[in-house]
Amino acid sequence: MFYKYETHLHTSEVSKCGVSTGAEMVRAYKKAGYTGIFVTDHFVNGNCTISRKLPWEQQVELMARGYENARAEGKRLGLDVFFGWEYSHNPYAADYLTYNLGKDFLLAHPDLCKLPFRSYSKLVRKNGGLLIHAHPYRTADYIYYEPNPKVNLIDGVEVNNTRSDSPHNHNHLAWELAREHPHLIRISGTDIHSTVRAGLGGVAFRYRIQSNQHFVDALRAGDGYLIIDGRITDQEGNLVKEAV
Ligand SMILES: [Zn+2]
Ligand SMILES: [Zn+2]
């Protein structure tokens, strides 16, 4: 038996590109047979609905709104909802999924957007956060191709974003990167913006994840399986079992 989790999810409350609300996402993932989701909306330095002119406390409150709405619906339906975000590092616009940190961390660090990536990485990891480079080789008009991902400043890489053959994400290059650097944790994520893709990606475990820290520990222990194109695979992308 597998417990399935979406690792890369956007809500329309916080992400400008988001189509579905947190509550709609929860209903879709419950229906798709998942145990939980990690809400990873675009950070205020990314494609975010929040005005940068607001006081930092207010920006933080608004940044958690998609998560909080999802969490309320998750409680009602029995789906576990966790908080994370997708930090954009400008000017290269590389995107980093950040897990295991909460509002208290954000409130204590109002200068997060001004930090060079090296400092962001150091601060996040010092505080127990987990940093995953999302779709490191994506080509799109808003993002630069990152020829040299900063492998020492990250904990892992999203080897599979959206679909395995997704033309803009060049997932095969992300796989190569992970194989070259075995210390990197491997995850898969749908990067879902609208409920129609629910069930495509994520990670799975043979046990239920109890907390953000437990998620990090489980990944570090190598207990994660990948959900790729709706099917569960091992860490090499080999099919374990047909998804139901
Ligand atoms: Zn987006
Ligand atoms: Zn994303």
Side-chain angles (χ1 to χ4, degrees), residues 97-113:
L97 296 165
T98 308
Y99 302 100
N100 201 26
L101 293 172
K103 271 205 272 193
D104 45 349
F105 171 83
L106 293 175
L107 289 170
H109 298 97
D111 56 349
L112 276 178
C113 295

Side-chain angles (χ1 to χ4, degrees), residues 41-46 48 56 63 85-87 106 112-113:
D41 276 309
H42 291 294
F43 204 66
V44 287
N45 60 1
C48 187
W56 180 243
M63 241 189 294
W85 59 81
E86 185 171 22
Y87 182 87
L106 293 175
L112 276 178
C113 295

Side-chain angles (χ1 to χ4, degrees), residues 53-124:
K53 291 181 187 143
L54 293 169
W56 180 243
E57 296 71 32
Q58 222 171 319
Q59 292 185 49
V60 171
E61 279 308 317
L62 291 170
M63 241 189 294
R65 214 172 36 156
Y67 156 74
E68 277 160 5
N69 290 342
R71 189 151 177 268
E73 186 70 351
K75 270 198 174 147
R76 207 172 66 78
L77 295 183
L79 189 94
D80 297 337
V81 179
F82 301 94
F83 182 54
W85 59 81
E86 185 171 22
Y87 182 87
S88 291
H89 168 53
N90 296 308
Y92 299 109
D95 292 326
Y96 299 95
L97 296 165
T98 308
Y99 302 100
N100 201 26
L101 293 172
K103 271 205 272 193
D104 45 349
F105 171 83
L106 293 175
L107 289 170
H109 298 97
D111 56 349
L112 276 178
C113 295
K114 295 181 197 136
L115 297 179
F117 183 63
R118 178 173 295 275
S119 309
Y120 176 78
S121 162
K122 211 169 160 185
L123 185 66
V124 160

Side-chain angles (χ1 to χ4, degrees), residues 1-21:
M1 147 131 207
F2 285 101
Y3 297 83
K4 298 195 271 184
Y5 297 86
E6 178 56 72
T7 61
H8 190 161
L9 178 146
H10 295 273
T11 71
S12 56
E13 285 96 326
V14 181
S15 297
K16 224 182 241 173
C17 36
V19 175
S20 308
T21 64

